[in-house]
Amino acid sequence: MTLQRTLGLLAASLLASLPLAASAAPLALDVQGMIGRTNDADHTVYHLSEADLLKLPVHTITTSTTWTPKSTFAGPLLGDVLKLVDARADNVELRTIDDYSYTVSAREAEHYGAILAYSRDGVRLTVSNFGPLFLVYPRDAYPSELSGSVAEAKFVWLIKALVVK
Ligand SMILES: Nc1nc2c(c(=O)[nH]1)N[C@H]1C(S)=C(S)[C@@H](COP(=O)(O)O)O[C@H]1N2
Ligand SMILES: [Mo]
């Protein structure tokens, strides 16, 4: 192999690895706890693949957040994911890749139409950019209710799993 070809291959493989590194966590979600529907061998978890998540009706929320300027987030309603798994309790613990965990009320999320956003302004969220899933509430529509440190804790990013309890 010529040196030129070797360098070319090396450059190609480096380039190919870049988008992978930027979105290393796949778009996927595990739901467990008090749910009536499961799809794993042990009947404990409902695993949603990227295809499952993209199949759900897409809802958008255009809002600024403490961390992002006004932009349009898109993804399924948290409520639709909970319906899919037949969730049987109101508390939903969100678990993240960075081991943050926060429990939100399904009823409250439904009230605000909170979404599990997988894109912002048409661009898929990556782990370095709030992805793979970011629970977004319409803050600009409810500025007094959805601002401040208590509300901010609900805007959970890097979500990998939900536990219904
Ligand atoms: N994945 C993830 N989401 C998160 C957090 C976190 O540590 N990890 N912190 C939460 C909390 S408690 C608050 S107040 C806000 C603000 O976090 P920040 O102070 O790191 O900006 O993000 C929320 N979402
Ligand atoms: Mo917080």
Side-chain angles (χ1 to χ4, degrees):
M1 201 185 299
T2 66
L3 179 61
Q4 205 172 16
R5 173 132 175 78
T6 308
L7 288 175
L9 281 176
L10 195 63
S13 70
L14 278 174
L15 280 176
S17 70
L18 282 179
L20 203 66
S23 59
L27 177 55
L29 181 70
D30 281 337
V31 190
Q32 52 192 298
M34 295 184 61
I35 58 177
R37 213 168 286 129
T38 57
N39 64 2
D40 70 324
D42 296 338
H43 308 289
T44 55
V45 177
Y46 195 107
H47 177 78
L48 284 91
S49 66
E50 171 162 340
D52 295 332
L53 286 161
L54 296 177
K55 229 164 21 198
L56 290 167
V58 184
H59 291 252
T60 61
I61 292 178
T62 299
T63 189
S64 64
T65 72
T66 304
W67 314 273
T68 50
K70 186 177 172 185
S71 38
T72 299
F73 292 92
L77 291 172
L78 175 63
D80 281 347
V81 171
L82 296 174
K83 270 179 212 128
L84 176 69
V85 302
D86 187 20
R88 295 176 172 180
D90 188 55
N91 288 326
V92 180
E93 182 192 340
L94 307 152
R95 291 191 180 165
T96 71
I97 292 165
D98 61 343
D99 286 331
Y100 175 68
S101 124
Y102 192 76
T103 300
V104 299
S105 154
R107 219 177 305 121
E108 188 199 64
E110 181 97 52
H111 166 72
Y112 289 121
I115 64 173
L116 283 169
Y118 47 64
S119 74
R120 177 161 77 100
D121 290 340
V123 179
R124 197 65 79 76
L125 302 177
T126 62
V127 284
S128 47
N129 194 23
F130 307 103
L133 289 166
F134 183 15
L135 183 66
V136 175
Y137 293 74
R139 184 181 84 151
D140 289 353
Y142 302 88
S144 58
E145 295 169 32
L146 293 174
S147 301
S149 58
V150 175
E152 275 178 11
K154 298 174 190 170
F155 288 73
V156 177
W157 51 82
L158 288 165
I159 295 172
K160 64 174 182 191
L162 310 179
V163 185
V164 182
K165 49 198 191 173

Short mmCIF file of all heavy atoms in Angstrom, two decimals, residues 20-79:
data_model
loop_
_atom_site.label_atom_id
_atom_site.label_comp_id
_atom_site.label_asym_id
_atom_site.label_seq_id
_atom_site.Cartn_x
_atom_site.Cartn_y
_atom_site.Cartn_z
N LEU A 20 -19.90 9.53 15.09
CA LEU A 20 -20.17 8.47 16.06
C LEU A 20 -19.84 8.96 17.46
O LEU A 20 -20.62 8.81 18.40
CB LEU A 20 -19.31 7.24 15.70
CG LEU A 20 -19.81 5.91 16.21
CD1 LEU A 20 -21.13 5.58 15.54
CD2 LEU A 20 -18.78 4.82 15.92
N ALA A 21 -18.68 9.61 17.59
CA ALA A 21 -18.26 10.11 18.90
C ALA A 21 -19.21 11.19 19.41
O ALA A 21 -19.49 11.26 20.60
CB ALA A 21 -16.84 10.66 18.81
N ALA A 22 -19.74 11.98 18.49
CA ALA A 22 -20.61 13.09 18.89
C ALA A 22 -21.96 12.59 19.39
O ALA A 22 -22.62 13.27 20.14
CB ALA A 22 -20.80 14.05 17.73
N SER A 23 -22.39 11.41 18.97
CA SER A 23 -23.72 10.93 19.38
C SER A 23 -23.62 9.50 19.90
O SER A 23 -24.44 8.65 19.59
CB SER A 23 -24.69 11.01 18.21
OG SER A 23 -24.20 10.22 17.14
N ALA A 24 -22.57 9.24 20.69
CA ALA A 24 -22.26 7.88 21.12
C ALA A 24 -23.45 7.15 21.75
O ALA A 24 -23.58 5.95 21.58
CB ALA A 24 -21.09 7.90 22.09
N ALA A 25 -24.32 7.88 22.46
CA ALA A 25 -25.48 7.21 23.04
C ALA A 25 -26.57 7.11 21.99
O ALA A 25 -26.93 8.11 21.37
CB ALA A 25 -25.97 7.98 24.25
N PRO A 26 -27.11 5.91 21.78
CA PRO A 26 -28.16 5.76 20.77
C PRO A 26 -29.46 6.41 21.24
O PRO A 26 -29.67 6.58 22.45
CB PRO A 26 -28.33 4.24 20.67
CG PRO A 26 -27.90 3.74 22.01
CD PRO A 26 -26.84 4.68 22.50
N LEU A 27 -30.30 6.76 20.31
CA LEU A 27 -31.63 7.24 20.66
C LEU A 27 -32.44 6.00 21.04
O LEU A 27 -32.80 5.20 20.18
CB LEU A 27 -32.26 7.98 19.47
CG LEU A 27 -33.69 8.48 19.66
CD1 LEU A 27 -33.81 9.36 20.89
CD2 LEU A 27 -34.16 9.24 18.43
N ALA A 28 -32.68 5.85 22.32
CA ALA A 28 -33.39 4.68 22.83
C ALA A 28 -33.85 5.01 24.23
O ALA A 28 -33.36 5.97 24.85
CB ALA A 28 -32.49 3.46 22.84
N LEU A 29 -34.80 4.24 24.75
CA LEU A 29 -35.33 4.53 26.09
C LEU A 29 -35.84 3.24 26.72
O LEU A 29 -36.56 2.48 26.07
CB LEU A 29 -36.47 5.55 25.98
CG LEU A 29 -37.14 6.00 27.27
CD1 LEU A 29 -36.18 6.89 28.09
CD2 LEU A 29 -38.42 6.78 26.98
N ASP A 30 -35.46 3.00 27.96
CA ASP A 30 -36.01 1.87 28.71
C ASP A 30 -37.01 2.39 29.73
O ASP A 30 -36.71 3.32 30.46
CB ASP A 30 -34.89 1.13 29.45
CG ASP A 30 -34.10 0.22 28.54
OD1 ASP A 30 -34.65 -0.19 27.49
OD2 ASP A 30 -32.95 -0.08 28.85
N VAL A 31 -38.19 1.76 29.79
CA VAL A 31 -39.18 2.15 30.78
C VAL A 31 -39.46 0.94 31.67
O VAL A 31 -39.65 -0.18 31.17
CB VAL A 31 -40.49 2.63 30.13
CG1 VAL A 31 -41.40 3.25 31.17
CG2 VAL A 31 -40.21 3.63 29.00
N GLN A 32 -39.43 1.16 32.98
CA GLN A 32 -39.69 0.06 33.90
C GLN A 32 -40.53 0.55 35.08
O GLN A 32 -40.94 1.70 35.11
CB GLN A 32 -38.37 -0.54 34.38
CG GLN A 32 -37.40 0.49 34.94
CD GLN A 32 -36.00 -0.08 35.14
OE1 GLN A 32 -35.81 -1.00 35.91
NE2 GLN A 32 -35.03 0.46 34.44
N GLY A 33 -40.78 -0.32 36.03
CA GLY A 33 -41.58 0.05 37.19
C GLY A 33 -43.02 -0.40 37.01
O GLY A 33 -43.28 -1.49 36.48
N MET A 34 -43.94 0.46 37.43
CA MET A 34 -45.36 0.10 37.40
C MET A 34 -45.94 0.31 36.01
O MET A 34 -46.66 1.28 35.74
CB MET A 34 -46.12 0.91 38.45
CG MET A 34 -45.66 0.54 39.86
SD MET A 34 -46.58 1.36 41.15
CE MET A 34 -48.22 0.78 40.84
N ILE A 35 -45.62 -0.63 35.13
CA ILE A 35 -46.13 -0.56 33.76
C ILE A 35 -46.84 -1.87 33.42
O ILE A 35 -46.48 -2.94 33.92
CB ILE A 35 -45.00 -0.26 32.74
CG1 ILE A 35 -43.89 -1.34 32.79
CG2 ILE A 35 -44.41 1.11 32.99
CD1 ILE A 35 -42.79 -1.12 31.74
N GLY A 36 -47.85 -1.78 32.58
CA GLY A 36 -48.66 -2.96 32.25
C GLY A 36 -48.18 -3.67 31.01
O GLY A 36 -48.66 -4.76 30.69
N ARG A 37 -47.26 -3.06 30.29
CA ARG A 37 -46.79 -3.66 29.03
C ARG A 37 -45.27 -3.69 29.02
O ARG A 37 -44.63 -2.67 29.35
CB ARG A 37 -47.31 -2.79 27.88
CG ARG A 37 -47.64 -3.54 26.61
CD ARG A 37 -48.41 -2.69 25.61
NE ARG A 37 -49.79 -2.47 26.00
CZ ARG A 37 -50.38 -1.28 26.06
NH1 ARG A 37 -49.72 -0.18 25.77
NH2 ARG A 37 -51.65 -1.19 26.43
N THR A 38 -44.69 -4.83 28.70
CA THR A 38 -43.23 -4.96 28.62
C THR A 38 -42.89 -5.67 27.32
O THR A 38 -43.76 -6.29 26.70
CB THR A 38 -42.68 -5.79 29.81
OG1 THR A 38 -43.32 -7.07 29.80
CG2 THR A 38 -42.92 -5.12 31.15
N ASN A 39 -41.63 -5.58 26.91
CA ASN A 39 -41.24 -6.28 25.68
C ASN A 39 -39.88 -6.97 25.79
O ASN A 39 -39.25 -7.27 24.78
CB ASN A 39 -41.29 -5.35 24.45
CG ASN A 39 -40.27 -4.21 24.53
OD1 ASN A 39 -39.51 -4.12 25.48
ND2 ASN A 39 -40.27 -3.34 23.54
N ASP A 40 -39.44 -7.20 27.04
CA ASP A 40 -38.18 -7.92 27.23
C ASP A 40 -38.48 -9.34 27.71
O ASP A 40 -39.62 -9.65 28.08
CB ASP A 40 -37.29 -7.19 28.25
CG ASP A 40 -37.85 -7.28 29.66
OD1 ASP A 40 -39.09 -7.24 29.80
OD2 ASP A 40 -37.06 -7.40 30.61
N ALA A 41 -37.45 -10.17 27.72
CA ALA A 41 -37.64 -11.58 28.07
C ALA A 41 -38.12 -11.76 29.51
O ALA A 41 -38.91 -12.66 29.81
CB ALA A 41 -36.34 -12.35 27.85
N ASP A 42 -37.66 -10.88 30.41
CA ASP A 42 -38.01 -10.99 31.83
C ASP A 42 -39.33 -10.31 32.19
O ASP A 42 -39.73 -10.31 33.36
CB ASP A 42 -36.91 -10.37 32.71
CG ASP A 42 -35.60 -11.12 32.58
OD1 ASP A 42 -35.64 -12.30 32.20
OD2 ASP A 42 -34.55 -10.52 32.87
N HIS A 43 -39.97 -9.68 31.21
CA HIS A 43 -41.22 -8.95 31.46
C HIS A 43 -41.07 -7.87 32.52
O HIS A 43 -41.94 -7.68 33.35
CB HIS A 43 -42.35 -9.92 31.87
CG HIS A 43 -42.52 -11.06 30.92
ND1 HIS A 43 -43.04 -10.91 29.66
CD2 HIS A 43 -42.19 -12.37 31.04
CE1 HIS A 43 -43.04 -12.07 29.05
NE2 HIS A 43 -42.52 -12.99 29.86
N THR A 44 -39.93 -7.15 32.48
CA THR A 44 -39.76 -6.06 33.45
C THR A 44 -39.57 -4.71 32.77
O THR A 44 -39.80 -3.67 33.40
CB THR A 44 -38.53 -6.29 34.36
OG1 THR A 44 -37.38 -6.49 33.53
CG2 THR A 44 -38.72 -7.49 35.26
N VAL A 45 -39.15 -4.72 31.52
CA VAL A 45 -38.80 -3.47 30.84
C VAL A 45 -39.53 -3.36 29.51
O VAL A 45 -39.74 -4.35 28.82
CB VAL A 45 -37.26 -3.42 30.56
CG1 VAL A 45 -36.89 -2.16 29.79
CG2 VAL A 45 -36.47 -3.50 31.86
N TYR A 46 -39.93 -2.14 29.18
CA TYR A 46 -40.37 -1.87 27.81
C TYR A 46 -39.24 -1.07 27.17
O TYR A 46 -38.96 0.06 27.57
CB TYR A 46 -41.68 -1.08 27.78
CG TYR A 46 -42.32 -1.11 26.39
CD1 TYR A 46 -43.45 -1.89 26.15
CD2 TYR A 46 -41.77 -0.40 25.32
CE1 TYR A 46 -44.03 -1.95 24.88
CE2 TYR A 46 -42.33 -0.46 24.07
CZ TYR A 46 -43.46 -1.23 23.86
OH TYR A 46 -44.02 -1.29 22.59
N HIS A 47 -38.57 -1.67 26.21
CA HIS A 47 -37.47 -1.00 25.53
C HIS A 47 -37.99 -0.33 24.27
O HIS A 47 -38.57 -0.99 23.41
CB HIS A 47 -36.36 -2.00 25.19
CG HIS A 47 -35.23 -1.36 24.43
ND1 HIS A 47 -34.27 -0.60 25.04
CD2 HIS A 47 -34.95 -1.34 23.10
CE1 HIS A 47 -33.43 -0.14 24.11
NE2 HIS A 47 -33.82 -0.57 22.93
N LEU A 48 -37.80 0.98 24.19
CA LEU A 48 -38.15 1.70 22.95
C LEU A 48 -36.87 1.94 22.17
O LEU A 48 -35.93 2.57 22.67
CB LEU A 48 -38.81 3.04 23.26
CG LEU A 48 -40.27 3.00 23.73
CD1 LEU A 48 -40.33 2.93 25.25
CD2 LEU A 48 -41.00 4.26 23.28
N SER A 49 -36.85 1.41 20.96
CA SER A 49 -35.72 1.64 20.05
C SER A 49 -35.89 3.02 19.41
O SER A 49 -36.92 3.68 19.58
CB SER A 49 -35.71 0.57 18.97
OG SER A 49 -36.87 0.73 18.16
N GLU A 50 -34.88 3.41 18.66
CA GLU A 50 -34.97 4.67 17.91
C GLU A 50 -36.21 4.65 17.01
O GLU A 50 -36.97 5.62 16.97
CB GLU A 50 -33.70 4.86 17.08
CG GLU A 50 -33.81 6.02 16.11
CD GLU A 50 -32.47 6.51 15.58
OE1 GLU A 50 -31.44 6.24 16.21
OE2 GLU A 50 -32.47 7.17 14.54
N ALA A 51 -36.43 3.52 16.33
CA ALA A 51 -37.59 3.42 15.43
C ALA A 51 -38.89 3.57 16.21
O ALA A 51 -39.83 4.23 15.75
CB ALA A 51 -37.55 2.08 14.69
N ASP A 52 -38.98 2.95 17.40
CA ASP A 52 -40.19 3.06 18.23
C ASP A 52 -40.45 4.52 18.61
O ASP A 52 -41.59 4.99 18.59
CB ASP A 52 -40.05 2.25 19.53
CG ASP A 52 -39.95 0.76 19.27
OD1 ASP A 52 -40.49 0.30 18.24
OD2 ASP A 52 -39.33 0.06 20.10
N LEU A 53 -39.37 5.22 18.99
CA LEU A 53 -39.53 6.62 19.41
C LEU A 53 -39.94 7.50 18.24
O LEU A 53 -40.78 8.39 18.38
CB LEU A 53 -38.22 7.13 20.04
CG LEU A 53 -37.95 6.57 21.44
CD1 LEU A 53 -36.48 6.71 21.82
CD2 LEU A 53 -38.83 7.27 22.48
N LEU A 54 -39.37 7.24 17.07
CA LEU A 54 -39.67 8.07 15.90
C LEU A 54 -41.07 7.80 15.36
O LEU A 54 -41.64 8.62 14.65
CB LEU A 54 -38.62 7.85 14.80
CG LEU A 54 -37.20 8.29 15.15
CD1 LEU A 54 -36.24 7.97 14.01
CD2 LEU A 54 -37.14 9.78 15.47
N LYS A 55 -41.63 6.64 15.71
CA LYS A 55 -42.96 6.24 15.25
C LYS A 55 -44.08 6.99 15.99
O LYS A 55 -45.19 7.13 15.49
CB LYS A 55 -43.14 4.74 15.49
CG LYS A 55 -43.66 3.99 14.31
CD LYS A 55 -43.50 2.48 14.35
CE LYS A 55 -43.31 1.81 15.69
NZ LYS A 55 -42.76 0.45 15.57
N LEU A 56 -43.79 7.45 17.21
CA LEU A 56 -44.81 8.13 18.01
C LEU A 56 -45.11 9.51 17.40
O LEU A 56 -44.25 10.12 16.78
CB LEU A 56 -44.33 8.29 19.46
CG LEU A 56 -44.24 6.98 20.25
CD1 LEU A 56 -43.47 7.19 21.55
CD2 LEU A 56 -45.64 6.44 20.54
N PRO A 57 -46.36 9.99 17.57
CA PRO A 57 -46.70 11.31 17.04
C PRO A 57 -45.70 12.37 17.51
O PRO A 57 -45.33 12.40 18.69
CB PRO A 57 -48.08 11.58 17.63
CG PRO A 57 -48.65 10.23 17.93
CD PRO A 57 -47.48 9.35 18.28
N VAL A 58 -45.26 13.21 16.57
CA VAL A 58 -44.26 14.23 16.89
C VAL A 58 -44.97 15.50 17.35
O VAL A 58 -45.88 15.99 16.69
CB VAL A 58 -43.40 14.57 15.65
CG1 VAL A 58 -42.29 15.56 16.04
CG2 VAL A 58 -42.80 13.30 15.07
N HIS A 59 -44.55 15.99 18.51
CA HIS A 59 -45.07 17.25 19.02
C HIS A 59 -43.90 18.24 19.11
O HIS A 59 -42.77 17.82 19.30
CB HIS A 59 -45.71 17.06 20.40
CG HIS A 59 -46.99 16.27 20.33
ND1 HIS A 59 -48.23 16.84 20.52
CD2 HIS A 59 -47.21 14.96 20.07
CE1 HIS A 59 -49.16 15.92 20.37
NE2 HIS A 59 -48.56 14.76 20.11
N THR A 60 -44.22 19.52 18.97
CA THR A 60 -43.13 20.51 19.07
C THR A 60 -43.43 21.51 20.18
O THR A 60 -44.60 21.78 20.49
CB THR A 60 -42.94 21.28 17.74
OG1 THR A 60 -44.14 21.98 17.44
CG2 THR A 60 -42.58 20.35 16.59
N ILE A 61 -42.38 22.02 20.77
CA ILE A 61 -42.48 23.11 21.75
C ILE A 61 -41.45 24.15 21.35
O ILE A 61 -40.26 23.84 21.24
CB ILE A 61 -42.19 22.62 23.18
CG1 ILE A 61 -43.30 21.67 23.67
CG2 ILE A 61 -42.07 23.81 24.15
CD1 ILE A 61 -43.08 21.09 25.06
N THR A 62 -41.93 25.36 21.09
CA THR A 62 -41.01 26.44 20.77
C THR A 62 -40.85 27.30 22.02
O THR A 62 -41.82 27.90 22.49
CB THR A 62 -41.52 27.28 19.58
OG1 THR A 62 -41.62 26.41 18.44
CG2 THR A 62 -40.57 28.42 19.24
N THR A 63 -39.67 27.30 22.55
CA THR A 63 -39.42 28.00 23.81
C THR A 63 -37.93 28.23 24.01
O THR A 63 -37.10 27.54 23.40
CB THR A 63 -39.97 27.19 25.01
OG1 THR A 63 -39.92 27.99 26.20
CG2 THR A 63 -39.18 25.91 25.25
N SER A 64 -37.63 29.20 24.85
CA SER A 64 -36.25 29.29 25.34
C SER A 64 -36.19 28.46 26.61
O SER A 64 -37.24 28.13 27.20
CB SER A 64 -35.89 30.75 25.65
OG SER A 64 -36.70 31.24 26.70
N THR A 65 -34.99 28.07 27.01
CA THR A 65 -34.81 27.45 28.32
C THR A 65 -33.65 28.19 28.97
O THR A 65 -33.02 29.04 28.35
CB THR A 65 -34.46 25.95 28.22
OG1 THR A 65 -33.13 25.81 27.75
CG2 THR A 65 -35.43 25.19 27.31
N THR A 66 -33.34 27.84 30.20
CA THR A 66 -32.22 28.48 30.89
C THR A 66 -30.92 28.27 30.11
O THR A 66 -30.01 29.08 30.21
CB THR A 66 -32.09 27.88 32.30
OG1 THR A 66 -33.34 28.04 32.96
CG2 THR A 66 -31.00 28.57 33.11
N TRP A 67 -30.87 27.19 29.32
CA TRP A 67 -29.62 26.81 28.66
C TRP A 67 -29.62 27.04 27.17
O TRP A 67 -28.59 26.92 26.52
CB TRP A 67 -29.32 25.33 28.95
CG TRP A 67 -29.50 25.02 30.40
CD1 TRP A 67 -28.54 25.17 31.38
CD2 TRP A 67 -30.69 24.59 31.06
NE1 TRP A 67 -29.08 24.86 32.59
CE2 TRP A 67 -30.40 24.49 32.43
CE3 TRP A 67 -31.98 24.29 30.62
CZ2 TRP A 67 -31.35 24.10 33.38
CZ3 TRP A 67 -32.93 23.90 31.55
CH2 TRP A 67 -32.60 23.81 32.92
N THR A 68 -30.81 27.29 26.59
CA THR A 68 -30.90 27.40 25.13
C THR A 68 -31.72 28.61 24.74
O THR A 68 -32.71 28.93 25.42
CB THR A 68 -31.58 26.14 24.53
OG1 THR A 68 -32.79 25.87 25.23
CG2 THR A 68 -30.67 24.91 24.64
N PRO A 69 -31.35 29.29 23.64
CA PRO A 69 -32.17 30.40 23.15
C PRO A 69 -33.48 29.87 22.58
O PRO A 69 -33.62 28.64 22.44
CB PRO A 69 -31.31 31.02 22.05
CG PRO A 69 -30.46 29.90 21.57
CD PRO A 69 -30.21 29.02 22.77
N LYS A 70 -34.39 30.75 22.27
CA LYS A 70 -35.67 30.32 21.73
C LYS A 70 -35.44 29.42 20.52
O LYS A 70 -34.78 29.80 19.56
CB LYS A 70 -36.49 31.55 21.32
CG LYS A 70 -37.90 31.19 20.87
CD LYS A 70 -38.73 32.42 20.53
CE LYS A 70 -40.04 31.97 19.91
NZ LYS A 70 -40.84 33.12 19.45
N SER A 71 -35.98 28.21 20.58
CA SER A 71 -35.83 27.26 19.48
C SER A 71 -36.97 26.26 19.56
O SER A 71 -37.73 26.23 20.53
CB SER A 71 -34.46 26.58 19.52
OG SER A 71 -34.05 26.30 20.84
N THR A 72 -37.08 25.44 18.53
CA THR A 72 -38.20 24.49 18.46
C THR A 72 -37.71 23.08 18.72
O THR A 72 -36.89 22.54 17.98
CB THR A 72 -38.89 24.57 17.08
OG1 THR A 72 -39.41 25.90 16.92
CG2 THR A 72 -40.05 23.57 17.00
N PHE A 73 -38.21 22.52 19.81
CA PHE A 73 -37.88 21.14 20.18
C PHE A 73 -38.96 20.20 19.62
O PHE A 73 -40.13 20.58 19.58
CB PHE A 73 -37.84 21.00 21.70
CG PHE A 73 -36.70 21.75 22.35
CD1 PHE A 73 -36.88 23.06 22.79
CD2 PHE A 73 -35.46 21.16 22.50
CE1 PHE A 73 -35.83 23.76 23.37
CE2 PHE A 73 -34.40 21.86 23.09
CZ PHE A 73 -34.59 23.16 23.52
N ALA A 74 -38.56 19.01 19.24
CA ALA A 74 -39.53 18.04 18.72
C ALA A 74 -39.29 16.67 19.31
O ALA A 74 -38.15 16.27 19.59
CB ALA A 74 -39.44 17.98 17.19
N GLY A 75 -40.41 15.95 19.50
CA GLY A 75 -40.33 14.59 20.04
C GLY A 75 -41.71 14.16 20.51
O GLY A 75 -42.66 14.94 20.42
N PRO A 76 -41.82 12.94 21.02
CA PRO A 76 -43.12 12.48 21.50
C PRO A 76 -43.48 13.13 22.83
O PRO A 76 -42.61 13.55 23.59
CB PRO A 76 -42.91 10.97 21.70
CG PRO A 76 -41.44 10.83 21.96
CD PRO A 76 -40.77 11.93 21.17
N LEU A 77 -44.78 13.19 23.11
CA LEU A 77 -45.22 13.61 24.45
C LEU A 77 -44.75 12.56 25.44
O LEU A 77 -44.83 11.34 25.16
CB LEU A 77 -46.75 13.65 24.50
CG LEU A 77 -47.48 14.73 23.71
CD1 LEU A 77 -48.99 14.47 23.75
CD2 LEU A 77 -47.18 16.12 24.29
N LEU A 78 -44.28 13.00 26.62
CA LEU A 78 -43.99 12.03 27.68
C LEU A 78 -45.24 11.21 27.92
O LEU A 78 -45.18 9.99 28.12
CB LEU A 78 -43.56 12.76 28.96
CG LEU A 78 -43.35 11.86 30.18
CD1 LEU A 78 -42.21 10.86 29.94
CD2 LEU A 78 -43.07 12.68 31.43
N GLY A 79 -46.41 11.86 27.86
CA GLY A 79 -47.69 11.18 28.08
C GLY A 79 -47.94 10.05 27.09
O GLY A 79 -48.52 9.02 27.46
#
